[in-house]
């Protein structure tokens, strides 16, 4: 199945300063900003677009349970994950299973834009956090109009 980069997730300590950097230095446009207190997310998210490329800035809202807070504590701020868009997440998951690649089942969710996503187990990806995602409702705000 074809995969293309959907976005890059960046863990940040200061969301406002990061938004300002992306806007003022990179010429980015803030295309969405929202907060998710869902278990396993607990982050404020700003989606920045530069010439069609999306960067997702992730700031923890809970410094004890947020996976972004744990990531920053362990590795520091910076690239958190790379998300690959697939045509059909269900089929992609079956392909991963046949290849022996595990996912982190508790990360499976649908975000506010209808993006279904799941993270692959970093043990099977040489330590890189990789997200697979699809947009079954066709409401991908990250696609160029």
């Amino acid at each position: 199945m074809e995969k293309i980069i959907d976005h890059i997730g960046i863990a940040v300590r200061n969301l406002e300063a990061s938004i300002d950097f992306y806007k003022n230095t990179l010429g980015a446009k803030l295309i969405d900003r929202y907060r998710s207190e869902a278990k396993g997310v607990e982050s404020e998210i700003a989606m920045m677009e530069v010439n069609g490329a999306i960067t997702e800035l992730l700031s923890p809202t809970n410094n004890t349970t947020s996976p972004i807070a744990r990531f920053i504590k362990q590795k520091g701020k910076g690239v958190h994950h790379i998300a690959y868009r697939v045509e059909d997440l269900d089929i992609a998951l079956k392909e991963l299973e046949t290849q022996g690649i595990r996912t982190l089942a508790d990360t499976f969710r649908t975000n506010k834009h209808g993006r279904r996503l799941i993270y692959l187990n970093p043990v099977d990806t040489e330590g890189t956090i990789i997200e697979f995602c699809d947009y079954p409702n066709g409401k991908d705000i990250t696609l160029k109009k």
Side-chain angles (χ1 to χ4, degrees):
M1 175 177 296
E2 183 177 339
K3 296 155 193 75
I4 61 169
I5 292 179
D6 185 75
H7 66 273
I8 306 294
I10 308 290
V12 302
R13 288 189 179 101
N14 183 323
L15 190 60
E16 293 303 326
S18 297
I19 290 170
D20 285 346
F21 170 80
Y22 275 78
K23 283 174 137 179
N24 299 327
T25 305
L26 301 177
K29 177 181 172 187
L30 176 65
I31 60 172
D32 194 22
R33 182 175 180 170
Y34 60 98
R35 186 180 187 103
S36 177
E37 294 300 340
K39 186 178 186 308
V41 182
E42 296 136 336
S43 299
E44 187 167 3
I45 299 146
M47 295 175 67
M48 309 299 294
E49 184 264 331
V50 177
N51 293 324
I54 303 299
T55 302
E56 200 175 63
L57 303 175
L58 306 154
S59 177
T61 58
N62 183 318
N63 285 325
T64 56
T65 59
S66 168
I68 300 303
R70 284 193 307 273
F71 179 89
I72 290 172
K73 186 176 183 177
Q74 293 171 354
K75 298 185 179 188
K77 60 187 179 177
V79 175
H80 176 262
H81 69 274
I82 301 172
Y84 289 91
R85 183 183 317 152
V86 296
E87 186 177 331
D88 185 313
L89 187 57
D90 298 321
I91 293 171
L93 291 174
K94 288 176 185 167
E95 287 179 0
L96 288 170
E97 186 177 346
T98 64
Q99 297 169 357
I101 305 296
R102 297 168 290 176
T103 61
L104 302 175
D106 62 332
T107 65
F108 181 80
R109 62 184 171 273
T110 301
N111 77 0
K112 75 173 223 157
H113 296 292
R115 180 174 83 225
R116 294 187 318 152
L117 65 105
I118 193 165
Y119 289 103
L120 308 188
N121 190 324
V123 171
D124 296 338
T125 65
E126 300 299 322
T128 302
I129 300 174
I130 294 177
E131 172 187 319
F132 271 18
C133 63
D134 70 1
Y135 296 83
N137 65 6
K139 294 185 179 178
D140 176 7
I141 68 165
T142 65
L143 291 174
K144 289 184 182 180
K145 306 296 185 241

